[in-house]
């Protein structure tokens, strides 16, 4: 996807998450750790590509009303304290409890999560086995809102002769 974006889209390279302003595709080179305090000033929809690993340390509640997509070329590390995320998350590998070996904290994702490699779902286990440890609610809104950023528009015109 990164090669596609570099070839076909306008990409803004940032060094800090606070540099995000406007509905664009952003690239951060290197590993990135995010907490809600890092995203409080962001009011726009965006796509963030992290060329490296992305670690999320707490709920990104200030992004609940925006359409966001996080794409990590490395791993997506979700720490134990995170119990709810909004948005689209793509990564090569996903660790649902990166800072511990086992947690009883359930995780709900509103949006979608995609991993190239199989994810270990056994790191989040609830005592009540009748309730899910990981619950993903597919929300199409971010896909539709970010469609101009995630795809290429092709138009065709045909003239009809009479």
């Amino acid at each position: 996807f990164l090669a596609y974006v570099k070839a076909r889209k306008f990409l803004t390279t940032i060094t800090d998450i606070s540099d995000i302003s406007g509905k664009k595709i952003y690239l951060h080179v290197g590993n990135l750790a995010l907490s809600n305090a890092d995203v409080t000033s962001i009011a726009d929809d965006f796509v963030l590509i992290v060329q490296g690993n992305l670690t999320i340390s707490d709920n990104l509640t200030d992004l609940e009303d925006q359409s966001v997509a996080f794409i990590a070329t490395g791993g997506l590390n979700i720490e134990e304290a995170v119990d709810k995320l909004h948005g689209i998350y793509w990564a090569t590998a996903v660790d649902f409890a990166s800072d511990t070996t086992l947690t009883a904290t359930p995780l709900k994702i509103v949006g979608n999560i995609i991993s190239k490699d199989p994810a270990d779902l056994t790191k989040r286990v609830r005592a009540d086995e009748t309730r899910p440890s990981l619950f993903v609610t597919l929300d199409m809104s971010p896909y539709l809102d970010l469609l101009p950023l995630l795809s290429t528009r092709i138009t065709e015109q045909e003239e009809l002769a009479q």
Side-chain angles (χ1 to χ4, degrees):
F1 187 77
L2 182 57
Y4 162 79
V5 169
K6 286 182 176 181
R8 297 214 164 203
K9 296 289 187 176
F10 180 73
L11 189 66
T12 304
T13 302
I14 61 171
T15 56
D16 190 72
I17 192 77
S18 63
D19 296 337
I20 292 177
S21 62
K23 188 174 183 174
K24 299 179 194 171
I25 301 174
Y26 297 92
L27 173 67
H28 181 276
V29 179
N31 296 336
L32 180 64
L34 278 182
S35 69
N36 194 58
D38 299 321
V39 299
T40 55
S41 64
I42 301 172
D44 299 302
D45 298 347
F46 65 90
V47 174
L48 176 62
I49 301 172
V50 177
Q51 196 169 0
N53 296 323
L54 174 61
T55 300
I56 300 174
S57 60
D58 63 6
N59 297 336
L60 304 178
T61 54
D62 285 338
L63 296 178
E64 288 181 9
D65 296 329
Q66 286 123 271
S67 292
V68 298
F70 293 96
I71 302 167
T73 61
L76 172 60
N77 302 310
I78 302 170
E79 294 188 354
E80 176 185 16
V82 180
D83 63 5
K84 190 172 186 183
L85 290 173
H86 287 260
I88 304 167
Y89 299 87
W90 292 332
T92 302
V94 176
D95 188 339
F96 289 107
S98 62
D99 58 337
T100 186
T101 56
L102 186 65
T103 181
T105 306
L107 174 61
K108 180 178 181 181
I109 298 172
V110 179
N112 202 4
I113 188 160
I114 303 156
S115 176
K116 180 182 172 211
D117 298 336
D120 182 7
L121 301 176
T122 62
K123 291 183 85 174
R124 287 192 184 249
V125 179
R126 293 180 70 160
D128 181 0
E129 292 181 1
T130 63
R131 302 186 64 167
S133 301
L134 173 65
F135 187 75
V136 179
T137 302
L138 181 62
D139 182 5
M140 295 304 294
S141 300
Y143 284 105
L144 296 174
D145 294 341
L146 299 172
L147 192 61
L149 299 176
L150 297 171
S151 64
T152 302
R153 184 180 307 167
I154 297 173
T155 58
E156 291 184 21
Q157 181 177 345
E158 188 175 318
E159 188 172 319
L160 300 174
Q162 290 188 357

